[in-house]
Amino acid sequence: MRTLPTIVAALCLTAPVAAAQAAAPGAAPGDARLRHDLQLLADSGVIRAPLTAWPVSWDEVARDLARAGDVASQPAHVAAARERVRAALERAAASGEWRAGGRLAGSAEPMSLRRFGDVPREEGELEGSLQFTGERFAARLQATVVADAGDGESVRPDGSYVGAALGNWMLTAGWLDRWWGPGWEGSLILGTNHRPIPALTLERNLSDPFETNWLSWIGQWRLAMTYGLLDGDREDYPNAHFFGMRITWKPHPRLEIGLSRSAQLCGDGRDCGLDTFWDMFIGNDNDQALEDQPGNQLGGYDFRWSLPWLPVALYGQVIGEDEANRMPSKFLGQFGLETWGGAGSATWRLHVEYADTVCGFYDSLPEYGCAYLNGIYTDGYQFRNRAIGHSLDGDSEQLAAGLLWVNGDGSSWELAAQSARINRKGANLVHSVSTDPLDLVSVDVYHRRAFLGGELSVGVGYEQRESDAAKDDDLRAFAQWARQFQ
């Protein structure tokens, strides 16, 4: 893990400076249809930007769409996706305007294992927002009132932020969701299973390649660094800090590679000076006594490779829970395959994904009671009682599949199914899903369409849970309506 800061320093010192087009907000994770459309356009050669780190830069999407030229030669389903992305861009990043939005949602038995697609977190949610995008500054004020809040916070600022464009860098402060990795069912290091961590983030806006010959081979690249506060109830060290850093690059238009790193540090009762941060940043921790170590760190690699001869992509992510010889070790793993196609102006995507969150998942004798746990932060790698990494939390295994169908008018259907074994040995006593071994099987169907000037999303599902103590099942459902006002 110590090599990543060196790479970051080299990249920042040699990066070309490009002027940002506007202080446009990024495309937030959670919209599976938008992600499908962007990826379809990327695999069709329309969009060049890396797409495995969310939020995705709207400025770069706008530039790629503008320079892609005429769509007349493209298949109807690619042209339809391009128009949907263009419409989403206009709604999200209209410069020089204040725009209001609202959302109303209700859910029976909210999902325990959250995926990339956004669904209501609580039984009832009422949200209002006001957003502005300017040439250099952007802001969104958003408040959500929830019923029966799982973490006791019934009024939430999630989604609020202020941001400023600094050359080709965006500096934001606020409560923004992030998703790091190519998976559809989860990210092993930073996803949207938990509520957004309040954080200060610096990230590259346009992913222009280096101009120097010795680095130009990297291709399009982005860098994001975030530093946040794990507020809320913790029994170990309340108000611990969170650091995350991710680099993604495309050495070939069909290959995207990512390096990610995260850390828990500081907190009430722990040292939190510049030396603590520096020790964490350079990886000076495992050779010290536990009480002197700066914190808990994870780091690893991921990729997505789109095959040149078939509409098929392979992807994977491995994240190390420990360090050996200055490199990540004791890996958790996630691997998947996705394929896509079109029928007239309609388009579809199918993915199959496997994840195993036990340390050394590839060994005949993996290490249980290791993943997402730490001797310092005994409450685990969690924020507000949910895993910061994969929604499975540690020592779990999942096989899942999803099929998304998008009509030319933007209405969509999605089918999701999974089989999971949670906390397999019962070694994780602070597990966010179940402190006992649990087998879980679920199937969900979602539908989305325009309705009353906004967009309506509905879903129904069935979940069966079985442990040594009990076996039960539930039907679940949700309905959500959202609208943006001019």
Side-chain angles (χ1 to χ4, degrees), residues 128-405:
S129 64
L130 189 63
Q131 178 175 303
F132 173 79
T133 303
E135 289 299 317
R136 291 292 174 186
F137 299 96
R140 180 167 63 228
L141 303 178
Q142 185 164 292
T144 306
V145 179
V146 305
D148 298 322
D151 60 0
E153 191 169 78
S154 57
V155 180
R156 301 172 175 178
D158 301 356
S160 299
Y161 76 94
V162 293
L166 307 174
N168 191 35
W169 296 87
M170 283 293 298
L171 179 66
T172 58
W175 293 258
L176 293 177
D177 278 319
R178 300 192 175 275
W179 183 281
W180 288 358
W184 286 85
E185 301 295 328
S187 166
L188 294 177
I189 192 165
L190 180 59
T192 57
N193 177 56
H194 60 290
R195 288 178 50 205
I197 298 169
L200 182 69
T201 302
L202 180 67
E203 53 196 323
R204 199 164 187 249
N205 195 33
L206 303 177
S207 64
D208 294 336
F210 288 98
E211 297 176 356
T212 57
N213 291 333
W214 66 285
L215 283 175
S216 59
W217 63 271
I218 291 175
Q220 308 285 135
W221 68 277
R222 291 192 71 205
L223 167 67
M225 292 183 287
T226 186
Y227 197 91
L229 177 68
L230 302 177
D231 59 349
D233 294 333
R234 293 187 68 96
E235 294 184 3
D236 46 21
Y237 293 99
N239 299 311
H241 296 184
F242 177 83
F243 172 76
M245 179 166 55
R246 178 170 173 83
I247 303 170
T248 54
W249 72 93
K250 298 181 71 172
H252 186 276
R254 293 185 176 275
L255 176 64
E256 183 169 343
I257 299 171
L259 301 178
S260 298
R261 183 181 177 195
S262 67
Q264 294 167 287
L265 68 158
C266 300
D268 297 349
R270 298 207 79 230
D271 289 340
C272 196
L274 288 177
D275 55 341
T276 300
F277 179 84
W278 181 248
D279 282 345
M280 178 278 301
F281 192 73
I282 65 173
N284 182 26
D285 49 12
N286 283 0
D287 55 353
Q288 303 181 57
L290 188 65
E291 62 271 17
D292 298 325
Q293 293 180 17
N296 174 41
Q297 301 193 53
L298 288 82
Y301 325 99
D302 58 75
F303 75 95
R304 183 185 185 274
W305 177 41
S306 176
L307 303 184
W309 54 87
L310 287 173
V312 172
L314 306 176
Y315 60 87
Q317 183 178 47
V318 289
I319 296 297
E321 252 288 0
D322 207 342
E323 179 190 24
N325 298 320
R326 300 190 177 185
M327 298 295 288
S329 66
K330 297 183 180 179
F331 287 103
L332 326 180
Q334 177 188 57
F335 303 94
L337 176 150
E338 56 185 316
T339 183
W340 58 90
S345 61
T347 182
W348 57 270
R349 183 175 301 268
L350 170 68
H351 75 265
V352 179
E353 189 169 301
Y354 171 79
D356 194 331
T357 61
V358 66
C359 289
F361 70 96
Y362 40 81
D363 288 336
S364 58
L365 294 174
E367 184 177 347
Y368 291 91
C370 160
Y372 299 148
L373 294 174
N374 180 254
I376 300 172
Y377 297 98
T378 54
D379 278 5
Y381 188 63
Q382 297 181 18
F383 177 56
R384 295 189 173 273
N385 303 316
R386 278 188 170 267
I388 295 173
H390 205 291
S391 62
L392 293 169
D393 210 329
D395 294 351
S396 303
E397 183 181 40
Q398 178 192 60
L399 179 63
L403 174 63
L404 174 66
W405 178 278

Side-chain angles (χ1 to χ4, degrees), residues 38-70:
L38 288 172
Q39 195 63 68
L40 177 65
L41 295 177
D43 291 326
S44 301
V46 176
I47 289 178
R48 306 179 189 179
L51 295 177
T52 61
W54 290 73
V56 171
S57 168
W58 274 128
D59 273 351
E60 183 147 45
V61 170
R63 187 179 69 173
D64 285 352
L65 289 179
R67 68 185 179 186
D70 188 16

Side-chain angles (χ1 to χ4, degrees), residues 31-37 40 76-77 80-81 84 115 184 339-351 401-416 444-449 455-456 458:
D31 189 335
R33 184 186 66 188
L34 176 62
R35 179 179 175 181
H36 162 73
D37 286 342
L40 177 65
H77 67 280
R84 287 192 297 270
R115 309 166 62 243
W184 286 85
T339 183
W340 58 90
S345 61
T347 182
W348 57 270
R349 183 175 301 268
L350 170 68
H351 75 265
L403 174 63
L404 174 66
W405 178 278
V406 183
N407 294 310
D409 63 0
S411 62
S412 65
W413 290 89
E414 187 172 2
L415 173 65
D444 292 272
V445 178
Y446 312 111
H447 178 56
R448 177 176 174 181
R449 66 182 307 108
E455 195 159 63
L456 176 68
V458 295

